[in-house]
Amino acid sequence: MKIYDIMKPWEGEWIPERGIDLNSDIQTLRAVDLDIYGARADVTDQEGRKVGEVDIDILKYLVDISTSQVLDSILDKFQEGVIAIDARGRIFYLNHAYSKILDIPIRKIIGKNIRQAEPGAEIINVLETGIPITKQKQYIKTLDKYVSPKIYPMKENGQIIGAVSIFKDTTKEVKLKEEVVKANEIAMNFKRQIEAQQELSKLEIVGKSTEYLKTVSQALIVAKTEASVLIKGENGSGKEVIAKMIHMNSGRKDHPMITVNCAAIPENLIESEFFGYEGGAFTGAKAKGQMGKFELANGGTLFLDEIGDMPFSMQAKLLRVLQTGEIEKIGRQKNVPVNVRLIAATNQPLEDMVAEKKFRQDLYFRLNIVEINVPSLRQRREDIGLFANYYLQKYNQQYQKSVALSPEVLSFFYSYSWPGNVRELQNCVEYAVIMCTEDSFGLEYLPPHMLQPAPSKEGEGAYRGESLKKAVSTFEKAVILDAMGKFKGNRNEVMQALGLSRRTFYRKLKEYEINCDKK
């Protein structure tokens, strides 16, 4: 503490014979005779001019009480760690909190140079630059701890004479916050899954697999925006279902969603289909003209299915509409403004088509602001049984039947590759319900193509001169063994995956002499 901190300013021109130097501090005055005349002492500057007065009693008290032991006692009560270094970087003070927080005994570090004791410490930068540093979170890797330091330079007469760092151990707070963030992420993920399941139920969409729920969750998130969406997936995987879900959960749900299959429109008609035309615009045109898909979807959503089949020449015109928000109708001189949200879908590798100059790169990036991938049925096998039962009920009602699925058929469904995805499964069940003349349909009622295995790489067929019943038995045994390997012999998981009842499952184990003991 400096004398001028307790000095009463004095305004006058009298120069005293005796006084206390303005730059003196309390510690320096401990060894000075303070028997100064009167109840007050004069404070002078370096040129001997009186600049103020101090109360002698206060000054004596401060001199007596200002000892290093008192200062140490005060600082050791701090929960914050304190470290101080001199101008050369040598550590001359540490409090006990510093030792406790960083788990370093004071005797091992006091008196050492900070550059050796803690290379790269922030206090070194403050010592060298004179610029204070405050951080909310600093990680100490060697101790796996977080601290929040406040580091200040110490100056005297404008010169840096050292630096002091005061820091708090925030490890618990930081890790608690990380746990809270993690818990929130888990909760949000669970919430999105619940929302996805609710949306599936509302739209009568079948599915409970993790992969598919993730796709639905992504669709619900992007639905709230106006971003263009590119939906990728195999034919029959349900890309249009996702597109409808996005539209129905968007701000445009009260406006139309117009679907265009780019692969189904002849190239010479695609421009008029998209943009429409005025009456008499060309030979054969309707007298009143025709609105194009963009006009029909105005205010709503335009879904372009199989976008990869769009002619290259048309791609440039589509890009221009997306950039300008206007269409050029055939036979009309003034452009027509349109406001549509674009969703495109494809089963083709557009990235490869861009590289091969078959699809415009600028249009690809324009369409692919958000990409959503719809998993194939092979990637969501746990949904196969759900789909099978859903369509069975639907077509039983439609054709006024009460046909049931046999365990053999359900087992076959779980092992089949489903190249046509959900659409193929739907057609398969409808075919079987129509053709079945019994209470339960077996493999013989499936579409013929499904029972024709694809030839192997060597061109070998599947027929081995055995009966169909024997071939089916061999196939079923292989499927059960494969499932046992996947689920490590867990009976319940194998039964659930194959869609078999407990009685049927154990009957087949006995029939095929399979040991299903859990490893």
Side-chain angles (χ1 to χ4, degrees):
M1 181 183 294
K2 298 295 182 183
I3 291 299
Y4 51 72
D5 289 330
I6 58 171
M7 178 181 70
K8 177 182 178 181
W10 181 82
E11 296 180 1
E13 298 181 355
W14 172 71
I15 301 177
E17 296 179 357
R18 186 176 181 190
I20 300 172
D21 188 350
L22 179 64
N23 292 318
S24 298
D25 58 42
I26 302 298
Q27 290 292 342
T28 303
L29 290 173
R30 287 181 66 246
V32 175
D33 179 12
L34 291 178
D35 188 18
I36 304 175
Y37 56 88
R40 293 183 178 277
D42 299 322
V43 179
T44 60
D45 61 16
Q46 293 176 343
E47 296 179 2
R49 290 192 297 268
K50 180 178 178 179
V51 293
E53 299 174 341
V54 294
D55 188 291
I56 293 299
D57 290 335
I58 293 176
L59 189 59
K60 284 184 176 182
Y61 169 75
L62 291 175
V63 168
D64 292 339
I65 202 69
S66 296
T67 65
S68 59
Q69 289 81 7
V70 172
L71 180 62
D72 287 348
S73 179
I74 294 172
L75 293 178
D76 277 335
K77 301 300 181 184
F78 284 17
Q79 292 183 343
E80 292 83 1
V82 180
I83 179 174
I85 60 176
D86 62 20
R88 293 176 297 173
R90 192 171 181 180
I91 301 168
F92 68 85
Y93 180 78
L94 299 165
N95 71 345
H96 287 295
Y98 178 97
S99 175
K100 182 179 179 181
I101 292 172
L102 298 186
D103 195 26
I104 301 174
I106 292 177
R107 67 179 182 275
K108 287 190 176 182
I109 192 172
I110 192 74
K112 291 186 178 181
N113 193 292
I114 189 66
R115 294 178 178 85
Q116 297 174 342
E118 194 179 341
E122 293 284 6
I123 196 170
I124 299 173
N125 295 329
V126 174
L127 182 66
E128 294 175 348
T129 65
I131 301 174
I133 292 178
T134 300
K135 288 191 174 183
Q136 294 297 322
K137 184 174 71 172
Q138 181 176 344
Y139 182 59
I140 304 175
K141 187 175 181 180
T142 54
L143 300 174
D144 188 29
K145 284 191 173 185
Y146 291 92
V147 295
S148 58
K150 295 180 179 179
I151 312 172
Y152 306 96
M154 296 187 292
K155 296 182 179 181
E156 187 173 88
N157 297 327
Q159 298 295 318
I160 299 175
I161 62 170
V164 60
S165 174
I166 305 170
F167 60 90
K168 180 181 178 183
D169 186 356
T170 57
T171 304
K172 289 184 179 179
E173 292 90 334
V174 171
K175 292 192 173 182
L176 178 61
K177 184 177 180 180
E178 289 176 349
E179 288 298 321
V180 170
V181 170
K182 184 178 179 180
N184 285 337
E185 288 177 353
I186 294 173
M188 287 302 297
N189 184 57
F190 181 72
K191 180 183 177 183
R192 285 194 291 266
Q193 287 193 23
I194 295 298
E195 290 175 346
Q197 290 173 334
Q198 291 174 343
E199 188 62 25
L200 291 177
S201 177
K202 185 169 65 177
L203 297 178
E204 296 185 350
I205 298 171
V206 178
K208 67 174 184 179
S209 70
T210 303
E211 284 297 314
Y212 193 62
L213 289 179
K214 179 181 177 181
T215 297
V216 173
S217 178
Q218 290 174 337
L220 294 177
I221 291 172
V222 74
K224 308 302 180 184
T225 72
E226 287 290 300
S228 298
V229 182
L230 179 62
I231 304 174
K232 292 183 175 181
E234 296 179 7
N235 282 334
S237 58
K239 298 187 290 294
E240 186 170 357
V241 171
I242 297 299
K244 288 180 179 178
M245 185 184 301
I246 294 172
H247 173 72
M248 292 304 298
N249 286 274
S250 73
R252 297 173 178 263
K253 63 182 179 180
D254 296 326
H255 297 276
M257 172 179 169
I258 304 298
T259 300
V260 182
N261 189 331
C262 299
I265 304 175
E267 186 170 350
N268 61 328
L269 296 179
I270 193 167
E271 185 173 355
S272 61
E273 284 290 323
F274 270 88
F275 307 138
Y277 57 84
E278 293 290 291
F282 51 84
T283 303
K286 295 179 181 179
K288 293 183 180 180
Q290 178 175 295
M291 294 179 69
K293 303 299 184 185
F294 269 94
E295 281 187 284
L296 292 173
N298 196 22
T301 303
L302 182 62
F303 176 51
L304 302 182
D305 199 7
E306 305 301 345
I307 188 70
D309 292 314
M310 176 177 285
F312 197 82
S313 59
M314 185 62 191
Q315 294 175 24
K317 296 179 180 180
L318 174 60
L319 179 64
R320 187 163 58 249
V321 173
L322 297 179
Q323 291 173 334
T324 63
E326 295 180 340
I327 61 169
E328 186 177 340
K329 293 186 71 170
I330 300 174
R332 183 186 177 103
Q333 298 195 359
K334 187 176 180 181
N335 289 350
V336 179
V338 289
N339 174 20
V340 300
R341 197 250 182 98
L342 197 66
I343 302 176
T346 183
N347 68 332
Q348 301 187 54
L350 292 188
E351 299 87 349
D352 295 342
M353 295 179 66
V354 169
E356 296 167 1
K357 307 296 183 183
K358 294 180 181 178
F359 199 88
R360 292 183 64 103
Q361 185 181 55
D362 44 8
L363 177 59
Y364 172 74
F365 288 122
R366 193 77 169 183
L367 296 172
N368 193 20
I369 294 177
V370 175
E371 180 179 308
I372 294 179
N373 289 281
V374 182
S376 66
L377 195 54
R378 293 183 302 282
Q379 296 171 305
R380 44 187 296 212
R381 288 189 179 275
E382 54 265 59
D383 291 340
I384 290 175
L386 297 176
F387 276 114
N389 283 294
Y390 174 81
Y391 289 122
L392 184 66
Q393 293 178 19
K394 175 181 178 180
Y395 293 119
N396 268 334
Q397 183 177 5
Q398 181 174 332
Y399 297 110
Q400 299 181 354
K401 288 191 173 185
S402 57
V403 177
L405 282 170
S406 70
E408 290 79 10
V409 167
L410 196 55
S411 176
F412 176 82
F413 280 178
Y414 278 110
S415 62
Y416 184 64
S417 62
W418 298 110
N421 290 291
V422 178
R423 189 180 298 140
E424 182 183 9
L425 191 152
Q426 179 181 358
N427 294 345
C428 163
V429 174
E430 184 175 11
Y431 173 90
V433 170
I434 292 172
M435 300 304 294
C436 184
T437 57
E438 303 175 37
D439 293 337
S440 176
F441 70 82
L443 296 173
E444 65 272 20
Y445 289 109
L446 296 179
H449 76 274
M450 295 182 68
L451 299 175
Q452 296 176 0
S456 67
K457 293 181 180 180
E458 292 78 18
E460 296 177 338
Y463 182 60
R464 298 288 190 274
E466 57 192 2
S467 66
L468 177 62
K469 183 177 180 180
K470 176 62 176 174
V472 169
S473 297
T474 302
F475 178 80
E476 279 190 342
K477 181 177 181 180
V479 169
I480 294 173
L481 288 171
D482 184 60
M484 286 196 312
K486 178 179 180 181
F487 296 106
K488 300 181 180 179
N490 188 304
R491 294 180 175 87
N492 291 329
E493 291 185 359
V494 172
M495 283 186 281
Q496 184 178 0
L498 297 180
L500 298 177
S501 66
R502 181 173 295 274
R503 177 180 297 178
T504 301
F505 176 69
Y506 280 100
R507 177 172 59 79
K508 290 191 176 293
L509 291 185
K510 183 177 180 180
E511 179 183 348
Y512 299 137
E513 298 180 347
I514 297 174
N515 182 7
C516 188
D517 289 336
K518 187 174 180 181
K519 305 297 182 186

